Amino acid sequence: PVSKKIKWSVSGEYFRQGFVKTNSAYEKARTDDIMTVSSLVAVNIFTNCELQLQYTYVNDAATIGVYKYNRGIYSAGLKYEF
């Protein structure tokens, strides 16, 4: 925890996906290297309730250009424990 009311976490993941067959449209072997990084901030707004704000970045470095992409995702939520 950053303080009594604020928690912060960071996570990451790497995944390599190989495809068994050659892509028939591009006649090329395809491999995707996918990296995901995420950061979450949770703020306790009152007893048993917190506001959660998260940013996630995804980068897919595929060997076939049409499948490459980058994306940033913002999300927010409320967590209530009872």
Side-chain angles (χ1 to χ4, degrees):
V2 176
S3 71
K4 289 183 179 181
K5 290 191 167 202
I6 300 173
K7 293 185 279 184
W8 177 53
S9 65
V10 177
S11 64
E13 177 182 35
Y14 172 80
F15 178 69
R16 181 178 186 96
Q17 182 173 4
F19 295 84
V20 177
K21 297 185 179 183
T22 300
N23 186 293
S24 60
Y26 298 99
E27 298 184 4
K28 186 176 180 182
R30 177 180 170 192
T31 302
D32 287 16
D33 292 314
I34 305 165
M35 179 189 68
T36 305
V37 179
S38 184
S39 180
L40 172 75
V41 174
V43 180
N44 190 5
I45 51 179
F46 55 88
T47 305
N48 296 332
C49 186
E50 66 184 24
L51 172 65
Q52 297 179 341
L53 304 172
Q54 183 172 12
Y55 175 74
T56 303
Y57 173 76
V58 181
N59 178 19
D60 186 341
T63 54
I64 298 175
V66 71
Y67 297 110
K68 291 181 182 182
Y69 68 90
N70 294 305
R71 127 175 93 182
I73 304 165
Y74 293 92
S75 60
L78 283 176
K79 177 182 174 184
Y80 183 75
E81 296 178 353
F82 55 93

